[in-house]
Amino acid sequence: MGRGARFLLSVLAALPGGAAAQPLGDAEYGEYLSAECTTCHQRDGSFDGIPSITRWPTKEFTAAMLAYRAKQRPHPVMQMVAARLSDEEIAALAAYYATIEN
Amino acid sequence: MIALNRRLFIGTLTATLTAPMVIARTRPRVVIIGGGAGGATIARYLAKDSKGALDVVLVEPTRTYYTCFFSNLFLGGFREYKSLGHGYGTLAAEYGVNVVHDFATGVDRDAKAVTLASGVVMPYDRLVLSPGIDFVEGSVPGWSLAAQNAMPHAYKGGSQTQLLKAQLAAMPEGGTFAMVAPPNPYRCPPGPYERISMVAHYLKSHNPTAKILILDPKEGYSKQALFEEGWDRHYPGMITRIGPDMGGNMLKVRPDAMEVVVDGEVEKVDVCNVIPAQRAGNIASLADVTEGGWAPVQADSMLSKTDTNIYVLGDATNQADMPKSAFSANSQAKVAANHIRGALTGSKVFPARYSNTCWSLIAPDDGVKVGASYAPTPEKIASVQGFISQRGEDDALRKATYEESLGWYAGITADMFGA
């Protein structure tokens, strides 16, 4: 499966009525990638000046990251982080953050 | 029934007693020296992600770790001292890290063992050195550690930070605060200039006729345009910087007389913050993994270039394009943790990626930031893409940047010590 197709499926999986419980991104890879997020975004969802992204729905997570990557959503740190994430990596992160447990 | 129960009970008891001992003998051990942004982070990630498969030992002399990052905010009055302190109890209790409060005094690379000040010899399968910085002796003529009470560096967190704050508060009216800034490379490139901002903020409200003198051996420095714009705006006429063109690189200090001699000219000062030239924390030299004061590392793993059983993190490394910062050390720790787990437990090793952002506070609600992403190349850790705050940004954006830095502090300290 190509990157585009896998990404599309992961987005579809997040749509209401779809197989939302099983996002197709690689959650193990997502967990590794998430280490870049947790320097600022606390894994337990605490919010101290930087928003929580813990248990954010896959669809919203993906849309936000795509908007940062396209520089449509303003924030230099997030634009920088998103710039080097492939569709597959965004899907992996979205899958991880949607299902994160404490 | 009774006999059966007793046998069951004894069986369970035996398993309980013997299991940890067996595990202790068979689990690979990772010894980490230094419990700061690199060491605490890697201890937590190794313990968390190996789920008990690794024996993680963290050697750190202090019971409470006072971060050097954000200590400038304490000087400026924006932060309580105790808010900079963090304990290791969560790493021990919730993550199973063996926290040893001791000082590493030697590394036997052939025997793969660390010697501690208490005399204990601790064998390792992999060693992580994250010792931060030490100072280059003689780099500021006239200054030595023996003089650090008269002229504090306050460039390692803790008592030195408190001392500098006390000296600032005790400055006579209209007195002079001097800083001897360090040459490159040093930890936290914007740090000295954020400190100047915080000192200026304090003096503006407590001692408004006081002056600040920066003696700087460098031509330029991090976020210079942003700091200079902010100083003109918030502290006009208070701050003078003497660069190398004016003799900022030809100075000596006289701690007993509280004098600074710049290119032969004697200046009497009231507080003198000497930030000397820096090198890797001394244990890296004792382990013989340094070159020119810093430890060269492989860009894709943070492995030492001289020993494949030793990783080096954070300020102590020669990290090419990455600045020396807590954020960088935290980022590097995750790459190394992933690599160590792969080597010792066979878990998946993902490609290295690094990032950094440094926030600085210039005045109340006037925050700026600089950052970049980094990736390994065959030669080095190379910058991929970066950003920096712009001059003339509006107040709302600067306030948001400051608030974001508070979020970062909460985030990184939770990532290091466990929430």
Side-chain angles (χ1 to χ4, degrees), chain B residues 247-317:
Chain B
N249 58 343
M250 297 172 57
L251 58 88
K252 60 181 175 184
V253 296
R254 294 172 181 157
D256 293 339
M258 285 308 287
E259 288 173 350
V260 178
V261 186
V262 186
D263 205 6
E265 203 164 309
V266 179
E267 290 276 346
K268 180 91 182 144
V269 300
D270 298 290
V271 177
C272 192
N273 175 205
V274 175
I275 309 174
Q278 295 162 27
R279 61 189 174 94
N282 198 50
I283 192 70
S285 305
L286 295 177
D288 201 16
V289 296
T290 57
E291 210 181 280
W294 308 101
V297 289
Q298 294 181 24
D300 60 351
S301 61
M302 302 307 293
L303 260 175
S304 160
K305 282 190 174 171
T306 49
D307 190 323
T308 52
N309 294 312
I310 300 181
Y311 295 74
V312 193
L313 302 177
D315 295 351
T317 61

Side-chain angles (χ1 to χ4, degrees), chain B residues 76-165:
Chain B
F78 295 90
R79 198 97 195 169
E80 294 288 322
Y81 181 70
K82 66 173 190 229
S83 78
L84 304 175
H86 305 271
Y88 295 92
T90 304
L91 287 180
E94 286 184 30
Y95 294 89
V97 174
N98 181 358
V99 182
V100 178
H101 291 301
D102 205 335
F103 203 88
T105 55
V107 176
D108 184 337
R109 281 167 40 187
D110 295 329
K112 291 172 72 178
V114 175
T115 306
L116 305 179
S118 61
V120 168
V121 175
M122 177 81 72
Y124 61 80
D125 292 288
R126 292 293 184 279
L127 176 65
V128 180
L129 299 175
S130 192
I133 55 146
D134 273 311
F135 300 119
V136 176
E137 240 176 279
S139 63
V140 178
W143 190 90
S144 70
L145 272 191
Q148 70 170 357
N149 268 28
M151 295 189 169
H153 54 79
Y155 228 61
K156 297 181 183 188
S159 52
Q160 278 276 305
T161 307
Q162 291 175 293
L163 177 63
L164 186 62
K165 169 95 173 177

Side-chain angles (χ1 to χ4, degrees), chain B residues 209-255:
Chain B
T209 56
K211 298 288 180 206
I212 297 173
L213 183 62
I214 310 168
L215 305 160
D216 205 331
K218 303 182 294 299
E219 297 282 349
Y221 57 89
S222 174
K223 300 178 185 164
Q224 184 166 358
L226 296 168
F227 281 115
E228 287 177 350
E229 177 194 51
W231 294 345
D232 281 346
R233 179 179 166 200
H234 302 292
Y235 320 112
M238 187 184 264
I239 301 164
T240 304
R241 177 172 172 266
I242 297 178
D245 52 334
M246 300 293 285
N249 58 343
M250 297 172 57
L251 58 88
K252 60 181 175 184
V253 296
R254 294 172 181 157

Side-chain angles (χ1 to χ4, degrees), chain A residues 69-92:
Chain A
R69 195 174 68 181
K71 311 228 182 296
Q72 288 161 353
R73 190 167 166 162
H75 194 279
V77 179
M78 287 312 304
Q79 288 181 357
M80 177 189 84
V81 168
R84 61 172 167 179
L85 292 173
S86 66
D87 292 350
E88 199 174 349
E89 288 166 340
I90 290 175

Side-chain angles (χ1 to χ4, degrees), chain A residues 58-75:
Chain A
T58 308
K59 191 180 164 190
E60 287 167 35
F61 191 107
T62 305
M65 292 306 286
L66 290 178
Y68 283 128
R69 195 174 68 181
K71 311 228 182 296
Q72 288 161 353
R73 190 167 166 162
H75 194 279

Side-chain angles (χ1 to χ4, degrees), chain A residues 35 38-39 48 75 84 89, chain B residues 45 330 334 353-354 374 404:
Chain A
T38 52
T39 307
D48 293 288
H75 194 279
R84 61 172 167 179
E89 288 166 340
Chain B
Y45 274 74
N330 170 268
K334 293 159 186 178
R353 60 173 70 202
Y354 305 96
Y374 302 87
E404 188 178 278

